[in-house]
Amino acid sequence: TSSPIVAGDDLIVMVGNDPKRKREKEDGTGIVAFDKLTGKVKWQSLGDAASYASPVLLNKQLVALTGANLVGLDPKDGKPLWKYPFRDLLLESSTTPVRVGEYYVASSITAGTVALKVNEKGGKFEVEKVWDDPALTGYFSTPVSVDGKHLFLIAGKLVPPQFATLHCVELATGKKLWSKERVGKFHASLMTLKDGKILMLDDSGNLILLESSVKEYTELARASLFKANGDAWAHP
């Protein structure tokens, strides 16, 4: 379910090594760049298994949450710039990596959430783990930030009783400032607006307008857009 991304003349895809292998091999099947017009392979990088997460361009780097690592690559040639081990036990990491200020954030249903700083010194990159929280289990919903200092994150549960919880987290420390349980049966997606508010679409088809308050959950309005026959997991 990973989406490809276009970077200049390249179409970059997380192809992925065979996850049934006991270990990844650096055979270049992890992430592959194709000429977007001809399909010709331009570069290949890593040997990680694929996840469900989509690669993104952040700070002139291609950042990907693979089946084994959170990685930063040079989008011109696929050269690995930095790597942080982050493995979901189910190989189902689905959240898009985000960069907020100096922090890179990744989340997964079994590995929780991690916030990193990536520093460059003399052309070499150093990765510093700022904090991690195994209980902040982001499954499908990518976290968002409004002010660059706080993170709004939906955590899901694999075991009953299953429900989604919205957390407001202090980005510098990982401290939970407040939590609102049962904002979805299993999942809800978040989207920020220009005026600083947040839209949340739950898996039952309810669209909720939220204040981006760091003090408490503040719901401003809601509308039932559709009745989901099953679960609605797509993001707006």
Side-chain angles (χ1 to χ4, degrees), residues 56-63 72-73 75 81-82 104 118 125:
V56 286
L57 289 171
L58 301 173
N59 196 30
K60 298 181 180 180
Q61 297 178 12
L62 181 75
V63 179
L73 306 178
L81 303 175
W82 55 270
Y104 290 84
V118 179
F125 291 84

Side-chain angles (χ1 to χ4, degrees), residues 108-167:
S108 166
I109 189 62
T110 64
T113 297
V114 64
L116 309 174
K117 284 184 180 180
V118 179
N119 303 306
E120 183 182 3
K121 294 181 180 179
K124 294 185 178 181
F125 291 84
E126 296 180 355
V127 179
E128 172 192 353
K129 183 179 76 173
V130 181
W131 58 265
D132 65 350
D133 188 339
L136 285 174
T137 49
Y139 205 167
F140 310 125
S141 179
T142 296
V144 299
S145 178
V146 174
D147 61 2
K149 298 179 181 179
H150 301 88
L151 202 66
F152 294 90
L153 181 147
I154 301 286
K157 295 175 64 179
L158 283 176
V159 295
Q162 288 178 308
F163 55 84
T165 300
L166 173 62
H167 299 279

